Amino acid sequence: MSSSSVPQPVSSAPTLAVAVPDVSVVNAALWLTATTMVASLAYYFLGFDQGAVSVFGSDTHVHEYIHDARHFLGFPCH
């Protein structure tokens, strides 16, 4: 049996190197912590900032500002 070789196409385009970011464990932990804190604050203001647990006391500006978003996300508020 004779072996026939199939010619490979020759590409004139330069090969592009993909840079992979160097993510250390410390850097990933910092991003995870910051993301968790921001998400927790958003959850608090959307879900619990009213009445006795309000950060701003009896001021209801935050509650009224996000009132419709609370209902849209399923949080009862009255």
Side-chain angles (χ1 to χ4, degrees), residues 36-49:
T36 303
M37 292 300 294
V38 169
S40 296
L41 281 172
Y43 184 74
Y44 170 77
F45 281 115
L46 282 174
F48 296 106
D49 187 43

Side-chain angles (χ1 to χ4, degrees), residues 44-74:
Y44 170 77
F45 281 115
L46 282 174
F48 296 106
D49 187 43
Q50 67 180 14
V53 295
S54 178
V55 171
F56 303 108
S58 63
D59 187 18
T60 60
H61 282 94
V62 173
H63 174 82
E64 293 302 326
Y65 182 70
I66 59 174
H67 185 88
D68 292 336
R70 293 170 63 99
H71 288 295
F72 180 73
L73 293 172

Side-chain angles (χ1 to χ4, degrees), residues 15-38:
T15 305
L16 298 175
V18 177
V20 178
D22 181 26
V23 180
S24 66
V25 173
V26 174
N27 194 15
L30 287 174
W31 273 104
L32 181 62
T33 302
T35 303
T36 303
M37 292 300 294
V38 169

